[in-house]
Amino acid sequence: MKARTLRELVEHDVDLAARTTLALPARAALYARIKSVAHLAKLGGHGTRRRFILGGGSNLVMRSDFDGLMLHIAITGRRLIGEDGDAWYVRAGAGENWHDLVTWTLAQGWPGLENLALIPGTVGAAPIQNIGAYGLELSERFHSLEAIDLPSGKTLRLDRQACRFAYRSSLFKEEGWHLDGQRVITWVTFRLPKAWSAQTAYADLADELDRQAIARPTGQQIAEAVVAIRRRKLPDPALLPNAGSFFHNPIVDAAFAERLAAAHPRLPRYVQADGRVKLAAAWLIEQSGWKGRCLGRVGMYEKQALVLVNHGGATGSEVIALATAVQAAVRERFAIELTPEPVIL
Ligand code: EPU
């Protein structure tokens, strides 16, 4: 197929509501669906327009129209690129759907990603916020990635260490790669260890497997259990628009967590490798009276207080007003500052 010219790639005044899972009304002045690294290279780093890199639109709050160029990364393809005694190495395009990749690797007999089943979004967005769920983070299965530096046209290769992964964070998030659109993740390689063991310590997952009377689950069975839990607790964006967890789980120092637990004995606490303690934002929000409560056309979801939902026709300002009210309530009751998880544009 003939490579298209840049002019042909760019659309004008594009509606973003259907391209983002919170379905807020917003338009992009310029929008390009990028299907190959060659398309990206053609774009270069020039132009004074602001840019933003769009993946699946599942972690994005549009406050208003975007007066720049939105690059929707749709590079697809996935295959086994190597295998040694220890692991399978799978490479996937940044535009691949995350859950499809999880399902496909399991069907090939390469377990490892099962705890991350049904997370919305794309492969290219996954390393940016180091997606995680049910006791596993992407960083644990990540091998390396390729990106293109648009101003120079050079390919960058980053291994796991270079990516500086942390809880819902990475080098890319810290440096705002998605926000300036100058460096774009194009391909990601995963390392799926052959010495696989089921990771079932997360309470919800252990309970679900118990309920199904599965003592020694396969990767496939773990994925099915995760899908069942997510379907039960998290709203389907197609039916009730949302962007997943709206706030990070706050990480506090051990002494603060201990004082808080003395006052609130049921406080869920997860001790981190560095001794600090991760608290459950959902619990803090519920205790502050916001679970299932609405403000305008948005609310905190009745089955999972951490998920902000659009009950229909909401605007970005309504989302911000609710987020601000929830932050104030949690600050007032617990002296904890909640930080939004999605990108707010
Ligand atoms: N809880 C409440 N009230 C609620 C919901 C939960 O008190 O309404 C309590 C639970 O009882 C539990 C604790 O809060 O003790 C944690 O709840 P849950 O297991 O549902 O997980 P979470 O901390 O709210 C995180 C991730 C989710 C991920 C789940 C499962 C973040 C910000 N969120 O949520 O990720 O699916 O764990 O691993 O880390 C996302 O990032 O978009 C996302 C959905």
Side-chain angles (χ1 to χ4, degrees), residues 260 263-268 279-293 300-301 304-306 325-326 328-334 336 338:
L260 210 58
H264 308 276
R266 298 172 67 90
L267 177 80
L279 303 176
W283 189 90
L284 300 170
I285 294 169
E286 181 171 348
Q287 297 304 311
S288 305
W290 277 97
K291 185 171 183 168
R293 191 168 154 195
M300 302 312 290
Y301 189 49
Q304 222 296 4
L306 191 49
V326 169
V330 169
R331 186 185 307 125
E332 167 99 352
R333 186 157 160 76
F334 297 104
I336 290 173
L338 292 183

Side-chain angles (χ1 to χ4, degrees), residues 3 19 26 51 72 109 114 159 166 169 220 255 269 280 337-338 344:
R19 292 173 158 93
R51 291 181 179 190
H72 174 199
E114 53 281 347
D159 64 11
S169 188
Q220 192 75 48
R269 281 178 291 168
E337 203 54 48
L338 292 183
I344 298 175

Side-chain angles (χ1 to χ4, degrees), residues 127-130 163-166 168-175:
I128 298 180
Q129 61 156 351
N130 185 19
C163 296
R164 297 217 298 263
F165 290 118
R168 290 297 195 277
S169 188
S170 64
L171 166 83
F172 321 108
K173 184 95 176 256
E174 280 172 31
E175 293 188 345

Side-chain angles (χ1 to χ4, degrees), residues 157-238:
R157 286 193 175 76
L158 287 91
D159 64 11
R160 187 173 173 223
Q161 209 183 344
C163 296
R164 297 217 298 263
F165 290 118
Y167 166 62
R168 290 297 195 277
S169 188
S170 64
L171 166 83
F172 321 108
K173 184 95 176 256
E174 280 172 31
E175 293 188 345
W177 284 30
H178 49 304
L179 299 177
D180 72 9
Q182 296 297 309
R183 285 162 296 178
V184 181
I185 295 170
T186 51
W187 291 91
V188 182
T189 301
F190 299 90
R191 180 182 183 279
L192 305 175
K194 290 186 173 175
W196 176 83
S197 65
Q199 300 219 17
T200 57
Y202 200 89
D204 267 359
L205 181 53
D207 292 350
E208 178 65 26
L209 291 165
D210 263 2
R211 199 176 3 243
Q212 297 186 19
I214 299 172
R216 294 171 59 82
T218 61
Q220 192 75 48
Q221 286 171 322
I222 291 176
E224 282 161 18
V226 166
V227 167
I229 302 166
R230 294 188 72 103
R231 291 235 159 94
R232 211 161 44 230
K233 292 205 165 176
L234 299 170
D236 177 353

